[in-house]
Amino acid sequence: MKRFRLKFPSEKTLKKYRYREALLIALVSFFVWLPSVQVSFIQSPMLREADFRFTLRNLLGIEFLPNPNVVAVEIDEHAVSQVGRWPWDRRIIGDLLSNMSEANSVAMDILFSEPSNEASDAYLANKMIDANNVILGYILLNDNTTSTVSSDQISSLLSCAYSNIDLESETTNITLITNSQLSLSRFLNSAMTCGYFTILLDSDGIYRRYATALVYEEYLLAPLAIQSVRYGQNQLEHIILNERGVKKFELGNTSLTDANSILVNFYNKEDVQKVSAYDIYTGAISPSFFRGKYVVMGVTDLGSYDIRPTPISKIYPGLYVHYSMLSNLLDNTILVTKPYFTSLLITLAIFFAYLASFIRQTGRRVAMYFVVILGVALISNLLFFTNLYLVYAFYAYVGVISFALFKEFLNILITEIKSSNLRKTFETYVSTEVVSDILKNPSKLKLGGVSKEISILFLDIRGFTSISERSTPEGLVKVINHIFNRFTHEIVNNEGLLDKYIGDAIMALYNAPLDIENHGDKAVISALNIMSALDELNKEFEANGTPHIGIGIGINTDECIIGNIGSDFRFVYTAMGDGVNLAARLESITKFYQCNILISDNTYNKLSNPSAFHIRMLDKIVVKGRTEPTSIYEVLAHSNTNNNTNSNTNSNTNSNTNNNYDELIRLYQQALHLYMNRDFVGASKIFIHLYRTHNDYPSGIFISRCKYFLQGNMPPDDWNGAYVMTSK
């Protein structure tokens, strides 16, 4: 059976086909096309995103007030409680119309489809005629009910229809209505005109749009708010129809294109100028108040009025929708959709996301994607607040996010391709940690370095010569590998970087290439753990008849140059500088003091908690190649080490038999203080005691120095207590 292997395209192939540019063009084309098809499952989030602009306008305190000449006359709870439950006697409605006869228009969001009593109906009809400003509402609807309207009622709609119409095609996309609910003919004929109060419902159940025109019984009919402007201002509309519907709509200062419907720029309910019908009925509000006003009248009593969920409120009286539309028309504050603005915003947003994709650092690149999204939000909201342009930014948001996701997926694919190649190339001579860092930052694959504070650990094996003399080459390699494996394990476990093996020595770095906290502590803990591992190894060697080994460890913390050192075709990741040399000197000096772990004063001062270890200041020295003195410290054990635990602190010739570290450190520091202050007699007494009771080799060194000074070789007056090392 033939085996198949999945093969990814190479980075070169991806670049050859310019995948970023292809992705840019594809996404721009798709998202510019998408709004025109009105996909149902996208419509809802798109519309809700646009709705949020109303909420944001309120949150920002941007004032948007209705025309002061538009008044909502409400048959509200107060009126119903005083006059009686709705519907009222039509005489009362007639009196209300009489008191508002000075208004430019009175649009009635009320239907009189059934007769009441003849006297009341006649009274209301006469008052409508007298006022000569009433725009009577009616309902147009598409449902399965059978229309019960009469031919007289339908004929009355002729005076309510648009008249100044130009046709550019034989067919048009205006919504055709099959049914209606009309007021009685006597009222239709008595009113100045009529207008439907049908409001368009969007697919998500929210009312946002006002139908500019609807076709019923071959009439092109107008809605209530538009009729208020037409007749209230005595303005003649101009409508151009084509196969798509209303190509152009002009009325007064309003001029709209592609206007089958008009987006309502809603007002907050509390900003609506409203009066109670009861106050008009009782004369509390003078008829002169309505002079020059445009009135929208309807029921807002909670038990009777129609509730319309809108972008500004889930409970919004239908009366206020007509009120908002009327005020929008008078102030020319209609929301305008600009399809080409939406397309332009989509194009620019995805293009800037494309530019952001060239940023190498992932965090900054992702941040720039968010900046692009914020830019889209800023532009779309500014257009809304300043120019009343409603741009559907949702498509731009999704376009940017889609581009970013596709691009990041391709980044991962390319990174995997690079990672595979780089790992194969460099793992043979660069440590795993460095390879990982290179994979994250391929730009580091160039010569050069940076200055950084690190802790350097040097380790040298003592007594390895005796092992090599007794072993074959194969056996020697096996032993050294076994030793290095144990020691390296302790280094890696404490986040150290194995820099290199140098014969029977090890160099390790802490805080490179990756940042780690308390790197000095990690280096010291590694050293102590290596000492414990050494005890276990020597037990194994003893069982196998292999000679014991010892180790010396030097640790220094300093600013060093770290990076790739070498030539263009061969380089290694390592550290350089005086701090590295000092660590190597300290490892060598452990032989002089016959101790295992020495650290510099730099490392000691960087320890987050020195009390976690048994440490003593061992001496002040000037190492070969330097002129400044360095205080050196011996790390004896963890501070929680049991006092009766066997420790290899002073290897072979100097084992601390009692392991009483607290006493040893306390007395040694006293003696060292006396020594530094030239009290060689007092210091000598304590050093002799420590040498005898603790078999402390460094104390023996100071006994010899004190004896030398007391024999007439006193140091000069400017002596700083430092001992100058004459060898490495």
Side-chain angles (χ1 to χ4, degrees):
M1 181 177 179
K2 188 175 181 180
R3 298 176 64 184
F4 292 92
R5 184 178 61 169
L6 181 62
K7 186 177 181 181
F8 289 110
S10 66
E11 182 186 6
K12 184 177 180 181
T13 302
L14 290 172
K15 287 184 176 180
K16 177 182 176 182
Y17 290 102
R18 306 184 70 84
Y19 69 93
R20 257 188 287 229
E21 289 76 2
L23 183 59
L24 170 69
I25 295 169
L27 288 177
V28 166
S29 302
F30 176 75
F31 283 103
V32 167
W33 165 80
L34 192 59
S36 64
V37 297
Q38 297 184 352
V39 181
S40 57
F41 71 90
I42 293 179
Q43 284 289 100
S44 181
M46 179 270 290
L47 292 170
R48 296 301 174 91
E49 184 277 327
D51 291 346
F52 181 71
R53 289 169 177 70
F54 292 100
T55 303
L56 188 60
R57 183 168 67 185
N58 291 333
L59 291 174
L60 295 177
I62 298 174
E63 190 176 74
F64 181 69
L65 299 176
N67 187 299
N69 290 323
V70 181
V71 181
V73 174
E74 300 183 344
I75 300 172
D76 54 8
E77 290 90 341
H78 173 63
V80 170
S81 66
Q82 297 298 319
V83 177
R85 63 182 299 178
W86 181 261
W88 291 343
D89 187 284
R90 289 174 180 169
R91 289 176 177 272
I92 299 174
I93 305 298
D95 291 338
L96 288 173
L97 294 177
S98 180
N99 289 340
M100 295 185 290
S101 61
E102 294 188 41
N104 287 350
S105 64
V106 178
M108 300 188 69
D109 186 17
I110 301 172
L111 192 66
F112 302 106
S113 58
E114 300 291 337
S116 59
N117 61 77
E118 177 59 30
S120 295
D121 286 351
Y123 186 85
L124 175 58
N126 290 331
K127 290 297 181 181
M128 286 183 179
I129 295 171
D130 293 341
N132 195 34
N133 63 359
V134 175
I135 301 170
L136 197 58
Y138 60 93
I139 301 174
L140 296 179
L141 67 162
N142 280 325
D143 57 20
N144 296 323
T145 61
T146 303
S147 177
T148 57
V149 296
S150 66
S151 58
D152 290 340
Q153 288 175 295
I154 294 174
S155 298
S156 299
L157 292 178
L158 176 61
S159 62
C160 306
Y162 287 118
S163 57
N164 189 20
I165 304 169
D166 291 332
L167 292 173
E168 291 188 350
S169 64
E170 295 181 359
T171 59
T172 184
N173 194 33
I174 300 295
T175 302
L176 179 64
I177 302 298
T178 57
N179 288 309
S180 67
Q181 292 181 14
L182 305 177
S183 293
L184 298 175
S185 296
R186 69 187 309 173
F187 297 128
L188 288 171
N189 294 327
S190 300
M192 178 172 61
T193 189
C194 60
Y196 59 81
F197 46 74
T198 302
I199 305 171
L200 298 180
L201 182 66
D202 283 328
S203 58
D204 60 349
I206 304 296
Y207 291 90
R208 300 180 179 87
R209 297 176 296 121
Y210 213 74
T212 309
L214 296 174
V215 174
Y216 177 66
E217 296 291 341
E218 299 184 355
Y219 294 132
L220 186 67
L221 298 172
L224 203 61
I226 289 179
Q227 293 291 69
S228 295
V229 177
R230 285 180 72 204
Y231 285 85
Q233 293 188 339
N234 194 26
Q235 295 278 353
L236 181 65
E237 80 288 347
H238 180 216
I239 296 178
I240 300 176
L241 300 179
N242 61 12
E243 66 280 357
R244 298 178 60 184
V246 179
K247 177 183 177 181
K248 191 169 186 178
F249 174 83
E250 293 179 338
L251 178 65
N253 295 325
T254 302
S255 180
L256 303 172
T257 56
D258 295 325
N260 284 347
S261 61
I262 305 174
L263 287 168
V264 183
N265 197 354
F266 293 95
Y267 302 97
N268 293 328
K269 288 187 285 187
E270 56 270 20
D271 292 330
V272 172
Q273 183 181 197
K274 44 188 171 289
V275 297
S276 174
Y278 181 73
D279 293 335
I280 300 171
Y281 180 66
T282 59
I285 295 178
S286 169
S288 62
F289 169 78
F290 294 99
R291 186 176 299 126
K293 296 283 197 303
Y294 296 82
V295 176
V296 181
M297 179 178 172
V299 180
T300 60
D301 172 48
L302 288 176
S304 307
Y305 83 100
D306 58 331
I307 297 173
R308 305 292 179 116
T310 66
I312 207 163
S313 173
K314 292 182 179 179
I315 303 175
Y316 202 77
L319 177 68
Y320 289 1
V321 179
H322 303 294
Y323 175 95
S324 296
M325 189 72 258
L326 174 56
S327 182
N328 292 168
L329 289 167
L330 292 173
D331 288 344
N332 198 23
T333 54
I334 293 169
L335 292 180
V336 179
T337 58
K338 297 284 188 179
Y340 53 87
F341 272 20
T342 299
S343 300
L344 180 61
L345 188 63
I346 292 169
T347 303
L348 289 176
I350 299 177
F351 177 72
F352 279 108
Y354 161 78
L355 294 181
S357 70
F358 286 93
I359 298 174
R360 287 184 174 273
Q361 191 174 352
T362 303
R364 292 182 180 178
R365 186 169 64 251
V366 172
M368 282 306 300
Y369 290 143
F370 280 106
V371 169
V372 173
I373 290 174
L374 289 175
V376 170
L378 179 63
I379 292 171
S380 59
N381 284 298
L382 281 176
L383 288 172
F384 178 81
F385 298 145
T386 59
N387 295 86
L388 299 178
Y389 291 162
L390 188 61
V391 178
Y392 292 114
F394 173 79
Y395 296 104
Y397 295 143
V398 177
V400 171
I401 293 170
S402 299
F403 182 92
L405 290 176
F406 277 120
K407 173 61 177 60
E408 294 310 307
F409 169 77
L410 290 171
N411 276 355
I412 293 171
L413 178 61
I414 292 173
T415 300
E416 286 301 315
I417 295 169
K418 287 183 176 180
S419 299
S420 177
N421 295 333
L422 290 174
R423 194 175 294 276
K424 291 176 183 178
T425 303
F426 293 105
E427 272 191 342
T428 57
Y429 60 91
V430 181
S431 65
T432 303
E433 291 84 354
V434 176
V435 172
S436 298
D437 189 39
I438 289 172
L439 293 179
K440 293 178 184 177
N441 302 282
S443 61
K444 291 187 176 182
L445 279 177
K446 61 182 180 180
L447 297 179
V450 295
S451 178
K452 185 178 184 181
E453 182 186 83
I454 60 173
S455 292
I456 309 101
L457 180 150
F458 272 91
L459 178 153
D460 186 56
I461 300 175
R462 313 275 194 255
F464 191 69
T465 303
S466 59
I467 296 178
S468 62
E469 290 174 348
R470 299 186 183 188
S471 302
T472 63
E474 295 80 3
L476 182 63
V477 171
K478 184 177 180 181
V479 171
I480 193 67
N481 286 346
H482 183 53
I483 295 171
F484 280 169
N485 182 60
R486 292 296 302 276
F487 293 170
T488 303
H489 183 75
E490 300 301 337
I491 292 169
V492 173
N493 279 354
N494 286 286
E495 301 181 69
L497 166 67
L498 177 66
D499 185 85
K500 61 174 69 72
Y501 298 116
I502 313 168
D504 57 358
I506 293 175
M507 175 180 171
L509 308 177
Y510 295 80
N511 205 38
L514 308 178
D515 294 335
I516 60 172
E517 294 183 0
N518 305 324
H519 49 87
D521 299 68
K522 299 288 178 67
V524 172
I525 292 170
S526 296
L528 289 170
N529 290 350
I530 287 171
M531 294 305 304
S532 298
L534 178 64
D535 286 341
E536 297 175 5
L537 285 170
N538 279 332
K539 289 177 183 178
E540 294 179 19
F541 293 158
E542 184 176 354
N544 297 331
T546 304
H548 283 202
I549 61 170
I551 57 174
I553 298 175
I555 300 173
N556 180 39
T557 301
D558 206 345
E559 287 278 336
C560 297
I561 302 299
I562 57 172
N564 297 310
I565 311 299
S567 63
D568 290 336
F569 57 88
R570 174 74 180 190
F571 54 83
V572 294
Y573 185 90
T574 189
M576 297 191 311
D578 185 58
V580 178
N581 296 333
L582 180 57
R585 296 287 187 273
L586 292 178
E587 176 272 310
S588 180
I589 292 170
T590 58
K591 299 176 185 177
F592 179 79
Y593 291 96
Q594 293 194 17
C595 59
N596 296 117
I597 305 172
L598 284 181
I599 66 173
S600 67
D601 48 3
N602 284 348
T603 300
Y604 180 81
N605 293 329
K606 292 289 183 178
L607 293 178
S608 62
N609 183 18
S611 62
F613 310 100
H614 286 299
I615 300 179
R616 62 172 169 175
M617 179 179 170
L618 194 62
D619 201 353
K620 182 186 287 187
I621 63 173
V622 178
V623 301
K624 188 165 182 156
R626 303 186 84 186
T627 57
E628 293 298 320
T630 301
S631 297
I632 60 173
Y633 295 77
E634 181 187 11
V635 181
L636 299 165
H638 292 283
S639 62
N640 59 356
T641 301
N642 212 329
N643 279 347
N644 59 11
T645 302
N646 183 25
S647 174
N648 196 25
T649 302
N650 295 317
S651 67
N652 299 329
T653 61
N654 184 30
S655 65
N656 183 15
T657 55
N658 294 322
N659 291 317
N660 193 342
Y661 296 121
D662 291 334
E663 181 186 54
L664 171 64
I665 293 171
R666 180 176 58 81
L667 293 176
Y668 189 88
Q669 301 306 144
Q670 288 179 9
L672 189 62
H673 178 74
L674 294 173
Y675 174 83
M676 295 294 176
N677 286 279
R678 307 166 69 95
D679 183 358
F680 302 117
V681 174
S684 181
K685 290 179 181 180
I686 300 175
F687 282 131
I688 291 171
H689 170 75
L690 290 174
Y691 186 76
R692 290 175 178 174
T693 58
H694 290 270
N695 193 23
D696 186 50
Y697 187 84
S699 293
I701 293 175
F702 277 95
I703 292 171
S704 298
R705 293 182 190 174
C706 290
K707 184 177 179 180
Y708 173 77
F709 290 137
L710 291 172
Q711 288 176 347
N713 301 304
M714 294 296 287
D717 293 339
D718 60 350
W719 181 67
N720 59 9
Y723 178 77
V724 179
M725 304 296 295
T726 58
S727 64
K728 294 184 179 180

